[in-house]
């Protein structure tokens, strides 16, 4: 029996409220051996108090040693096995620009490239055009019409764009047309099954028309596509947990991930204070609140240790405003670690705290990597966090008699 | 390869003896934040000594956040994956009254109900009759005969009874006849496959005859049935581990669970001292001894913190008598937590100690939730405990060359 079947069997209605605060890339590393991590360096009296009143542990996003992207990182926290539910690149790119993907869509990431007179690629990124040029080229491609399919072309940044093919029974088992090399033409698309052959046929027609509308626009006179992906079949939070869930995120990618699992994506403004204000406003209308905080990740990606410390302290400052609402279960965690030292996502387990009436408190009195290591939640798989949230919220009945 | 296949491959004969002492619902919670749990409050010099000499940890009965019933809780401790081996309600009810179920049986829980002149239910629990009346009604139903099947009707308590249908190839994919509502008649039984249709046919015949023998016995003039369950296909402890296993339990449910995995269920008297005396008497005849202690759970269910503390101390007092026998592996754990504060089973991990010659001792010097958190066994899934027991008993060979 998988976990979602188990939850479907055990879940019970309750009036309790759960807040899941995700500080993106929260976990870190000391810059020097024996030093302190960003979280250990930050002054976080409010998080420390929650750690003391609650139970702590370290979340393993996927498996030991596996560094997740934002997609698997968040799916795990939402209780969806990130090894079972895979979100293809095309869909993630579409989510990242806030495109509303539907169950009829196949999305794919596109790159502008430069083609020579023989149609061979001379630059796989078309000389990294400015985003304005990307937008202009996308406008031209929006004129393309193919009978039997709806096509959406959306700019991303520089040479990157997204195409969404919307139609009946479109498969995504289609090869990348990007040959990952210069001196050769883009590859034709071919499908591995009937539904994907249908997609590939539309893709090849699109390619012919795109080559035509872009032909005098060198260096952005060609396109390659990769990461064909259907919208994944995934139960909503309402279906899986019986939770009416709201997302309070600012960045499109996280709104998209929340929408993927059926959360209501609210307009949460553009600052942490806006998010908290929105939380207060809609408090009565939902059971579950996902709050996303980006800057612990982006400062880590920048390799800016002091900035990450500062962003953690800014997050700490709003905790009392959340607690004022008296959530029955309050969780603070991250979707993965982003140590400034590595300037990238990493595989290290993520500090996590859970505060609820019936949590079995431990000796942890500060929220940090080293303290969480001795916490009562131990080291656990991120995808089990929602089981703990549901249990502490009084929303899971007994398994077996 | 599943764990039982692995064990079958690796197990080796030995003369070692394992004692598994299950203090039902052992884990607890402090009444106030920062306080002590029942186990931490109890004075337990003997258990503390075992914790010091042995290795400790916390057992997760099923998965994080999942609260198990007694069935899954014990199956896990016996090394049977509680998500794979499920014991239906009917079988558990039969085990709970010490009925000896066999592989030919389909068991089901019955309720007396009150039917009006049109056969519609007016009271789903027949006004909660006294158990004496339940017994009298069951006596009447025992006269029912149906060709092709043997039928056993057994009283439980108040409006509750158990029926066991014993015959060849009976399925249990049969709907509950309890409509879970009043103002409607009991539902007819129907089977979802050929074997279950056969069962359903017997059930419907039984219902007609039962309605007849009870017709002048309002308010106990009707019956509803739910939780049809076959005896699960489950390897015995002898088959899985090569262990000759004995159960020393007092309550029927635990005797039944032990019988389910093929243990010899001994007459262990009615007190803890009786159990220990029985243990001494049969010490030479078995490899594995399951001792069950109920009162840590029942006092927790009653919400009686001091009584649970007292029951833990009473258990502690007999530990030296068990150790006198020099078991090669001595384990103390629980099938789940039952915090007095919650007055119910809970999902919290369960303190566990294992004492054996080759255990790698840790720094734990007292048997408690907080100390076990730092023990050498870490937090582990209950269904892995028997692997540890077998290993420490010198009964598992090397995997691979």
């Amino acid at each position: 029996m998988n976990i979602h079947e188990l939850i479907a069997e055990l879940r019970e209605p309750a009036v309790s409220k759960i807040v899941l605060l995700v500080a993106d890339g929260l976990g870190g590393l000391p810059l020097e051996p024996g030093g302190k991590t960003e979280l250990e360096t930050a002054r976080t009296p409010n998080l420390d108090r929650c750690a003391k009143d609650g139970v702590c542990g370290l979340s393993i996003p996927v498996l030991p040693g596996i560094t997740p992207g934002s997609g698997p990182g968040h799916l795990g926290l939402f209780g969806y096995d990130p090894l079972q539910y895979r979100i293809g690149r095309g869909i993630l790119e579409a989510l990242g620009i806030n495109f509303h993907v539907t169950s009829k869509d196949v999305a794919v990431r596109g790159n502008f490239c430069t083609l020579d007179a023989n149609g061979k690629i001379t630059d796989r990124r078309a000389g990294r055009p400015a985003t304005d040029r990307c937008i202009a080229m996308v406008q031209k491609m929006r004129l393309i019409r193919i009978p039997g399919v709806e096509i959406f072309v959306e700019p991303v940044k520089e040479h990157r764009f997204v195409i969404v093919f919307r139609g009946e029974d479109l498969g995504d088992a289609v090869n990348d047309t990007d040959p990952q090399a210069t001196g050769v033409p883009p590859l034709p698309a071919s499908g591995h099954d009937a539904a994907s052959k249908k997609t590939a046929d539309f893709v090849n027609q699109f390619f012919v028309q795109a080559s035509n509308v872009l032909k005098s626009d060198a260096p952005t006179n060609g396109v390659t596509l990769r990461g064909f992906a259907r919208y994944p079949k995934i139960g909503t939070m309402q279906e899986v947990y019986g939770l009416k869930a709201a997302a309070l995120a600012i960045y499109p990618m996280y709104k998209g991930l929340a929408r993927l699992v059926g959360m209501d994506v609210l307009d949460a403004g553009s600052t942490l204070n806006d998010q908290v204000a929105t939380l207060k406003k809609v408090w009565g209308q939902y059971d579950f609140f996902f709050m996303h905080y980006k800057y612990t990740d982006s400062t880590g990606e920048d390799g800016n240790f002091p900035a990450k410390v500062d962003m953690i302290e800014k997050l700490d400052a709003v905790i009392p405003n959340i607690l004022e609402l008296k959530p029955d279960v309050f969780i603070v965690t991250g979707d993965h670690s982003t140590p400034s030292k590595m300037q990238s996502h990493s595989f290290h387990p993520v500090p996590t705290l859970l505060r609820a009436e019936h949590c079995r408190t431990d000796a942890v009195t500060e929220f940090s990597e080293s303290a969480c290591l001795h916490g009562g939640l131990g080291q656990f798989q991120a995808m089990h966090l929602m089981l703990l949230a549901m249990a502490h919220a009084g929303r899971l009945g007994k398994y077996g008699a």
Side-chain angles (χ1 to χ4, degrees), chain A residues 55-210:
Chain A
V55 57
C56 290
L58 289 168
S59 162
I60 297 173
V62 181
L63 282 176
I66 302 298
T67 299
S70 300
H74 278 83
L75 280 192
L77 294 177
F78 300 155
Y80 298 77
D81 181 353
L83 292 174
Q84 179 188 348
Y85 295 95
R86 304 195 61 174
I87 307 177
R89 169 184 285 263
I91 292 293
L92 264 183
E93 293 277 347
L95 296 179
I97 56 166
N98 217 10
F99 184 90
H100 288 225
V101 273
T102 76
S103 60
K104 292 182 170 182
D105 295 353
V106 171
V108 63
R109 152 80 177 273
N111 281 353
F112 288 108
C113 64
T114 308
L115 301 178
D116 67 15
N118 299 317
K120 290 181 180 166
I121 299 171
T122 57
D123 185 330
R124 289 181 54 236
R125 292 184 188 83
R128 290 196 182 269
T131 300
D132 281 352
R133 186 177 178 101
C134 174
I135 293 168
M137 296 297 107
V138 161
Q139 293 291 2
K140 290 192 173 199
M141 290 197 290
R142 282 184 172 167
L143 302 174
I144 294 172
R145 294 287 178 275
I146 299 173
V149 68
E150 231 182 322
I151 299 176
F152 303 86
V153 195
E154 299 290 338
V156 180
K157 209 176 163 186
E158 299 177 341
H159 57 287
R160 297 189 287 269
F161 61 93
V162 168
I163 310 182
V164 175
F165 296 88
R166 181 171 296 169
E168 299 300 327
D169 305 320
L170 297 181
D172 63 0
V174 175
N175 63 288
D176 294 350
T177 73
D178 183 347
Q180 304 260 2
T182 54
V184 291
L187 300 168
S190 63
H192 289 278
D193 50 51
S196 303
K197 282 187 208 302
K198 195 171 160 186
T199 309
D201 183 43
F202 291 135
V203 170
N204 291 326
Q205 291 182 55
F206 181 88
F207 182 76
V208 171
Q209 292 201 41

Side-chain angles (χ1 to χ4, degrees), chain A residues 196-354:
Chain A
S196 303
K197 282 187 208 302
K198 195 171 160 186
T199 309
D201 183 43
F202 291 135
V203 170
N204 291 326
Q205 291 182 55
F206 181 88
F207 182 76
V208 171
Q209 292 201 41
S211 302
N212 193 38
V213 298
L214 300 174
K215 65 172 181 275
S216 26
D217 288 304
T220 51
N221 62 342
V223 298
T224 59
L225 305 178
R226 58 194 173 114
F228 286 90
R230 276 178 65 95
Y231 193 74
K233 282 190 188 17
I234 191 165
T236 64
M237 299 275 287
Q238 180 75 54
E239 288 162 355
V240 174
Y241 302 109
L243 292 173
K244 191 155 190 287
L248 302 152
I250 292 170
Y251 283 70
M253 171 72 84
Y254 311 97
K255 292 182 179 180
L257 287 164
R259 197 177 289 115
L260 196 72
V261 295
M263 293 190 208
D264 280 0
V265 175
L266 307 182
D267 178 2
S270 60
T271 68
L272 194 50
N273 285 331
D274 291 345
Q275 286 173 284
V276 173
T278 309
L279 180 71
K280 292 195 177 181
K281 207 169 63 186
V282 302
W283 186 249
Q285 301 166 42
Y286 294 92
D287 309 310
F288 179 92
F289 304 86
F290 158 53
M291 287 186 71
H292 181 266
Y293 182 65
K294 176 68 179 170
Y295 307 106
T296 32
D297 177 63
S298 45
T299 48
E301 293 258 15
D302 291 344
N304 193 336
F305 191 103
K308 187 170 173 185
V309 170
D310 187 44
M311 289 302 161
I312 293 169
E313 294 185 350
K314 285 195 163 57
L315 181 65
D316 185 76
V318 304
I319 301 297
N321 302 319
I322 299 172
L323 295 182
E324 261 175 31
L325 294 166
K326 303 192 190 306
D328 297 279
V329 180
F330 179 53
I331 296 172
V332 183
T333 186
D335 55 337
H336 53 77
S337 294
T338 304
S340 314
K341 188 184 181 185
M342 294 174 71
Q343 300 190 32
S344 66
H345 291 199
S346 83
F347 49 85
H348 302 90
V350 186
T352 301
L353 72 81
L354 185 158

